[in-house]
Amino acid sequence: MRNTLLFILLIFSSCTVQKINKSITKSHVFDKGHLGFMLVDPDKDKVLVDINSDKYFIPASNTKLFTFYTSYTILGDSLVNGLNYLEKGDSLIFWGTGEPSLLHPDLKNTTTIDFLKSQNRKLYLLDNFDQVEPFGPGWSWDWYNSYYAAERSALPVYGDIVRFAKSEGDSTFSVYPTRFKPSMNLIEPRGTSSSSFRRDHLENRFSYFVTSEATDKRFETDIPFITSADFAAKLLSEELEKDVTVIRNLSYFSQQPKKLLTVAADSIYSQMMKISDNFLAEQLLLLVSDQLDNKLSTADAIAYSKENLLSDLPDEPIWVDGSGLSSKNMFTPRSIIALLGKIRTEVPLEKIKAYFPAGGESGTIRNWYPSDPGQPPYIYAKTGTLSMSNALSGYLLTKSGKILHFSCLMNNYVISGNELKTELTKVLYYIHDKY
């Protein structure tokens, strides 16, 4: 009797897997581009679906899975180093570690400000900004006005952006930080938009319009500003109400600095993963580099991770930035599956659920992949979106209690991302329901 039941279960499981494969390979949507899909049952160490899993795809923000794993492994989930500093007589010499929370409009960390305010010494900002290229490899120059391409920097202040926001019913909008408001230029409305904010290409000058149609509407727009050591020192001086002087003396970098712990890495991971925050992803790799050898290099952080943390992946990651903005990044679905397995092994499940977007509930998939009414989410996964690239990789919880690992990379589709996600919703729910 027991053998008969086992045989029936195996036949049912085999039929289910065949139907899952057919729902993907015979899809009139998925056949309009290049698809890579892999689904694994880790408890059985069994590959359920394998479509082009050994082929390289542009992953877009699935790159953040690699950034997250590297950062979690090197930095942990506790407080990170927000400032390097030396005490020299009546002087405090300090420099940035890439830590992004200083006066950030969402993270709202004031630890560094409080520390600098408490000093009786003269304050000197040691310029290490030339260690960091503001844009990553392959980024487009015309992204300068878009939050998703906020400049990377050694010492971010205010998240390296200006936030323009208005609550519903308010008669005017707020500007954070307020120091930018007096220099803003009002322009004539253009097109059909009811509000617009722009920065000059090569200067921190901002133009805007807000029409009467926007009076009762809420909005929040983040525009990057141009960073530099001198501008960071100016912003700090204004906030501290004391002078901060920039110095350029390379000999200080060879000295072992003291470190100021500032913000919990947990809060950065959650924000970065849930809303796919490119700026935080880029700054995390700088924090990793600082932790490794007291200098800031995205390339060094990636090289260390590939050699020491990711050498066991099936295929070498072609990996150039922290966020996935660059189309030079290329990963295979089976390497992403292997990475998901490493994350599951090393990160508690409750933390994965806290960091990752949840289908129908939070982050970038709050409007997609919903569970049945009254049921908890069944998808915890990282999205990825670039022109001609869509991705979703993570964990799928089935009604039978299994946790499956999946990676879906879709490139060179001329149809809308919504069409792809609608089709993928059908596939993932069928797996959730039947496997």
Side-chain angles (χ1 to χ4, degrees):
M1 180 68 178
R2 181 179 179 183
N3 289 338
T4 302
L5 179 60
L6 179 60
F7 177 74
I8 292 172
L9 289 173
L10 287 173
I11 292 295
F12 175 77
S13 177
S14 176
C15 290
T16 300
V17 171
Q18 288 177 15
K19 288 181 179 179
I20 293 169
N21 273 276
K22 187 176 180 180
S23 69
I24 301 170
T25 57
K26 301 298 183 181
S27 167
H28 70 285
V29 174
F30 291 143
D31 68 4
K32 294 180 179 178
H34 300 298
L35 175 72
F37 193 101
M38 194 172 193
L39 177 70
V40 170
D41 183 341
D43 292 337
K44 293 182 178 180
D45 193 23
K46 181 180 180 181
V47 177
L48 305 177
V49 180
D50 187 339
I51 301 171
N52 295 324
S53 73
D54 61 341
K55 301 297 191 292
Y56 280 92
F57 291 80
I58 296 170
S61 283
N62 266 207
T63 303
K64 293 183 177 74
L65 289 167
F66 291 77
T67 298
F68 165 71
Y69 177 75
T70 299
S71 303
Y72 188 90
T73 304
I74 300 300
L75 304 174
D77 56 6
S78 55
L79 295 176
V80 299
N81 176 30
L83 204 68
N84 291 317
Y85 66 96
L86 301 168
E87 295 169 326
K88 299 286 185 181
D90 66 349
S91 301
L92 182 86
I93 300 162
F94 65 94
W95 62 96
T97 65
E99 197 272 284
S101 72
L102 173 57
L103 300 175
H104 189 287
D106 296 321
L107 300 174
K108 294 182 172 64
N109 194 296
T110 62
T111 303
T112 297
I113 289 296
D114 295 339
F115 170 75
L116 295 175
K117 277 185 176 180
S118 70
Q119 296 297 314
N120 294 320
R121 294 179 170 89
K122 297 177 182 178
L123 300 179
Y124 295 93
L125 172 61
L126 183 59
D127 181 5
N128 62 339
F129 273 61
D130 62 352
Q131 294 180 13
V132 182
E133 287 292 332
F135 273 23
W139 293 16
S140 177
W141 71 268
D142 62 354
W143 291 343
Y144 70 89
N145 198 63
S146 301
Y147 172 71
Y148 58 75
E151 291 191 2
R152 312 184 297 187
S153 67
L155 183 61
V157 187
Y158 304 111
D160 288 349
I161 56 100
V162 183
R163 173 166 291 177
F164 307 97
K166 191 178 82 65
S167 298
E168 189 171 335
D170 285 356
S171 59
T172 187
F173 61 89
S174 62
V175 180
Y176 179 85
T178 56
R179 54 106 51 214
F180 286 98
K181 192 166 187 176
S183 59
M184 293 182 62
N185 179 40
L186 178 63
I187 59 175
E188 289 295 319
R190 301 172 184 172
T192 59
S193 177
S194 60
S195 63
S196 178
F197 297 85
R198 294 197 62 82
R199 194 199 80 210
D200 289 359
H201 180 204
L202 300 176
E203 293 185 70
N204 284 326
R205 297 193 310 177
F206 296 83
S207 302
Y208 76 98
F209 68 81
V210 178
T211 68
S212 57
E213 297 175 15
T215 302
D216 294 323
K217 297 179 181 178
R218 67 171 302 278
F219 60 75
E220 183 176 281
T221 303
D222 294 342
I223 305 294
F225 57 71
I226 300 170
T227 63
S228 69
D230 292 323
F231 193 53
K234 184 176 183 179
L235 294 176
L236 289 174
S237 295
E238 292 171 356
E239 186 69 32
L240 296 167
E241 297 181 338
K242 59 170 71 174
D243 290 337
V244 176
T245 304
V246 176
I247 59 173
R248 297 171 175 87
N249 187 332
L250 297 180
S251 66
Y252 287 122
F253 290 123
S254 62
Q255 301 180 39
Q256 188 62 37
K258 294 183 179 180
K259 298 179 182 296
L260 178 69
L261 300 181
T262 51
V263 66
D266 256 352
S267 61
I268 304 177
Y269 301 150
S270 181
Q271 177 92 343
M272 183 262 288
M273 293 289 284
K274 273 193 163 54
I275 68 170
S276 202
D277 192 299
N278 295 326
F279 171 71
L280 296 184
E282 297 298 336
Q283 298 301 131
L284 275 170
L285 285 189
L286 296 179
L287 270 171
V288 167
S289 176
D290 172 74
Q291 179 80 2
L292 293 172
D293 59 11
N294 286 327
K295 74 172 186 176
L296 305 182
S297 169
T298 299
D300 285 359
I302 290 173
Y304 178 90
S305 181
K306 287 173 62 175
E307 181 178 350
N308 297 280
L309 307 179
L310 303 173
S311 61
D312 57 347
L313 297 185
D315 307 293
E316 179 186 359
I318 311 303
W319 182 15
V320 301
D321 68 9
S323 61
L325 268 180
S326 177
S327 58
K328 294 183 178 183
N329 295 305
M330 290 191 294
F331 305 135
T332 64
R334 67 185 184 182
S335 282
I336 293 178
I337 287 290
L339 179 66
L340 291 169
K342 291 165 76 72
I343 292 172
R344 271 289 307 283
T345 299
E346 300 173 36
V347 182
L349 182 59
E350 61 270 19
K351 282 192 175 291
I352 290 175
K353 291 182 176 181
Y355 299 147
F356 280 54
E361 184 175 283
S362 67
T364 51
I365 56 174
R366 65 187 177 276
N367 297 320
W368 292 96
Y369 319 108
S371 56
D372 291 332
Q375 297 301 307
Y378 73 92
I379 294 290
Y380 292 90
K382 185 70 201 72
T383 54
T385 305
L386 278 177
S387 177
M388 301 300 178
S389 178
N390 265 272
L392 187 73
S393 300
Y395 307 101
L396 187 157
L397 285 59
T398 71
K399 288 183 177 180
S400 66
K402 290 183 174 294
I403 300 178
L404 306 181
H405 302 176
F406 73 95
S407 179
C408 182
L409 303 181
M410 300 170 281
N411 284 182
N412 294 346
Y413 282 85
V414 295
I415 58 178
S416 73
N418 282 355
E419 287 182 78
L420 291 170
K421 286 182 279 191
T422 298
E423 188 75 357
L424 186 57
T425 296
K426 298 174 186 177
V427 172
L428 296 181
Y429 184 82
Y430 181 83
I431 299 168
H432 163 68
D433 189 46
K434 301 298 183 181
Y435 188 79

